[in-house]
Amino acid sequence: MASAAAGALGLLWGWLWSERFWLPQNVSWADLEGPGDGYGYPRARHILSVFPLAAGLFSVRLLFERFIAKPCALHVGIEDSDPHLAQPNAILEKVFISITKYPDEKRLEGLSKQLDCDVRKIQRWFRHRRNQDKPPTLTKFCESMWRFTFYLCVFCYGIRFLWSSPWFWDTRQCWHSYPYQPLTRELYYYYIMELAFYWSLMFSQFIDIKRKDFLIMFVHHLATIGLITFSYINNMVRVGTLVLCLHDASDFLLEAAKLANYAKYQRLCDTLFVIFSAVFMVTRLGIYPFWILNTTLFESWEMIGPYPSWWLFNGLLLILQVLHVIWSYLIARIAFKALIRGKVSKDDRSDVESSSEEEDETTCKKTLSGSSSSNGANWVNGHMGRSYWAGE
């Protein structure tokens, strides 16, 4: 019995690491064991070092948020306070928990008659109850500041490293002599650090602020981790560094805009949002398909030819492109509505509602007239930056 299990495990292991899947024709794992100097060629066992590093990054994040991000948030005027608690009400609580968090006009009027209470007060109670379950601005500021700091640092490192790399200027160099491309120390640090960060995000997203694009972000993290891991194992690290740096170019701008928004620096927030939108569109809808996908799909086909893991690698890249299109649509929709109406709708990632009396009155009127949105996110006047934008 034990020998049968061991044999099955051996077959499975051999299938997972089949040279026919991972490597081009006439290349074996033994060919990639040398050279012995430096870091040699990428090896699958290097990936194991990612997990303790990811745990270390998460620990650094906790310290960073507590001793650096939180004091910065307090310095710019973000209060360390709990959200306004809704008054206890058994009937409304039952409706909130069991039926809906966003009651429509008919249900509001029914509750008003049942409780002999004004519709506006009931609507306000539901808003306060929703905000009660959501994290304070201080928590969101600290989370964004951590991501901003990492993305900015790793982007600067990536640009500095790639500037002196020949494949940055000529993408055909990504496939020259492939897969016999020795791994440099700088490239190893860059790749492993990026992979460790995304693994830390994969685990921390279950305890971080929950947003309505959670599923999209989950798929994004899976695709990113898959891309980095696969490209490292089969030594497509040169083109992988281009993909990583291209994505980091807009990520830190988005987090910077969020920080300005939480701190209520609206002019700075608007400016950063415009810059982020432009960089995002150019990199994700322009440079990515015409520079990255062009070399992975066409130049690599010409120079090394397709093989099984080549198809998987390009499939993951195409999944990212689909996500780029979705996020670009969400960003463009916010900008388009701002231009034609002078108003901005809180996008689907919004995780807090305004507590201003003006919005309460506007929301109440819209609810009573049957014009409230299906997800409870209402139109508000103000700057573009008052929305929490779709993005990574």
Side-chain angles (χ1 to χ4, degrees):
M1 190 71 175
S3 60
L9 185 61
L11 288 175
L12 177 61
W13 186 259
W15 177 79
L16 286 175
W17 297 107
S18 170
E19 294 171 343
R20 294 183 58 187
F21 172 79
W22 286 101
L23 303 172
Q25 292 183 356
N26 303 320
V27 179
S28 67
W29 292 118
D31 296 330
L32 298 179
E33 285 297 320
D37 58 327
Y39 286 88
Y41 298 122
R43 296 177 182 133
R45 62 176 177 267
H46 293 170
I47 301 299
L48 297 177
S49 64
V50 164
F51 298 104
L53 184 57
L57 276 176
F58 184 73
S59 300
V60 171
R61 170 189 169 175
L62 296 179
L63 295 173
F64 177 90
E65 291 183 353
R66 181 172 181 179
F67 295 106
I68 298 179
K70 185 175 181 179
C72 290
L74 298 176
H75 180 72
V76 297
I78 298 177
E79 298 180 357
D80 185 7
S81 59
D82 295 326
H84 180 81
L85 299 180
Q87 294 181 353
N89 188 301
I91 295 176
L92 295 182
E93 185 70 23
K94 183 177 181 181
V95 173
F96 183 88
I97 297 297
S98 306
I99 303 177
T100 179
K101 296 180 180 180
Y102 298 93
D104 55 18
E105 174 189 359
K106 184 178 180 180
R107 190 174 299 279
L108 283 172
E109 291 178 346
L111 290 171
S112 175
K113 294 178 181 180
Q114 181 179 356
L115 298 173
D116 190 23
C117 181
D118 184 63
V119 170
R120 182 171 176 271
K121 291 182 179 180
I122 296 176
Q123 200 278 337
R124 184 190 296 132
W125 185 94
F126 275 92
R127 174 168 54 76
H128 287 164
R129 183 62 182 83
R130 290 192 295 269
N131 284 340
Q132 183 177 318
D133 292 340
K134 295 172 182 177
T137 302
L138 179 66
T139 301
K140 294 181 290 183
F141 183 94
C142 292
E143 178 184 315
S144 288
M145 188 169 180
W146 162 249
R147 297 189 185 212
F148 165 78
T149 303
F150 181 87
Y151 285 137
L152 179 60
C153 291
V154 79
F155 174 69
C156 292
Y157 180 89
I159 284 292
R160 180 178 176 274
F161 162 68
L162 288 172
W163 197 262
S164 59
S165 302
W167 61 88
F168 184 71
W169 308 101
D170 178 15
T171 54
R172 295 179 67 87
Q173 292 292 324
C174 292
W175 316 109
H176 182 69
S177 299
Y178 177 84
Y180 304 107
Q181 299 170 340
L183 184 68
T184 65
R185 184 185 301 271
E186 293 79 9
L187 197 155
Y188 171 80
Y189 288 156
Y190 186 37
Y191 235 74
I192 294 300
M193 184 60 70
E194 287 270 17
L195 182 57
F197 178 73
Y198 280 103
W199 268 115
S200 72
L201 289 184
M202 173 63 74
F203 294 124
S204 67
Q205 69 178 337
F206 295 100
I207 61 174
D208 285 341
I209 297 169
K210 296 296 187 298
R211 301 185 188 272
K212 293 183 180 180
D213 68 343
F214 175 86
L215 181 59
I216 295 178
M217 291 303 300
F218 184 77
V219 174
H220 171 266
H221 293 332
L222 280 179
T224 302
I225 289 172
L227 271 169
I228 298 175
T229 302
F230 277 112
S231 61
Y232 188 86
I233 292 175
N234 64 8
N235 204 14
M236 289 187 178
V237 291
R238 291 188 175 183
V239 72
T241 57
L242 301 180
V243 175
L244 291 172
C245 190
L246 191 68
H247 282 73
D248 293 334
S250 60
D251 287 344
F252 76 90
L253 291 171
L254 174 62
E255 299 302 330
K258 288 182 182 180
L259 292 174
N261 181 65
Y262 298 146
K264 302 186 185 304
Y265 295 156
Q266 286 308 139
R267 288 186 179 275
L268 177 60
C269 176
D270 295 345
T271 302
L272 289 171
F273 178 73
V274 170
I275 297 173
F276 158 74
S277 301
V279 172
F280 189 95
M281 298 292 184
V282 170
T283 55
R284 308 297 177 91
L285 299 184
I287 298 177
Y288 182 84
F290 294 105
W291 192 44
I292 300 296
L293 293 183
N294 176 68
T295 191
T296 61
L297 287 171
F298 303 111
E299 292 181 348
S300 66
W301 182 295
E302 175 187 344
M303 298 183 69
I304 64 175
Y307 54 98
S309 69
W310 180 94
W311 290 103
L312 179 58
F313 180 68
N314 279 283
L316 291 170
L317 288 175
L318 290 172
I319 289 175
L320 280 186
Q321 181 59 25
V322 172
L323 295 176
H324 295 163
V325 173
I326 294 173
W327 284 317
S328 296
Y329 164 74
L330 294 173
I331 294 171
R333 186 176 65 176
I334 295 173
F336 180 72
K337 288 179 179 179
L339 289 174
I340 65 174
R341 301 194 183 190
K343 300 178 180 180
V344 180
S345 174
K346 299 180 88 174
D347 84 19
D348 293 338
R349 298 191 78 214
S350 297
D351 47 28
V352 69
E353 298 175 62
S354 172
S355 60
S356 67
E357 285 300 316
E358 290 87 359
E359 184 183 44
D360 190 74
E361 294 174 0
T362 303
T363 305
C364 181
K365 292 176 183 177
K366 289 188 176 184
T367 302
L368 293 176
S369 64
S371 62
S372 63
S373 62
S374 60
N375 64 359
N378 300 287
W379 294 94
V380 292
N381 292 319
H383 297 277
M384 188 178 298
R386 295 188 190 276
S387 296
Y388 301 120
W389 317 278
E392 300 181 358

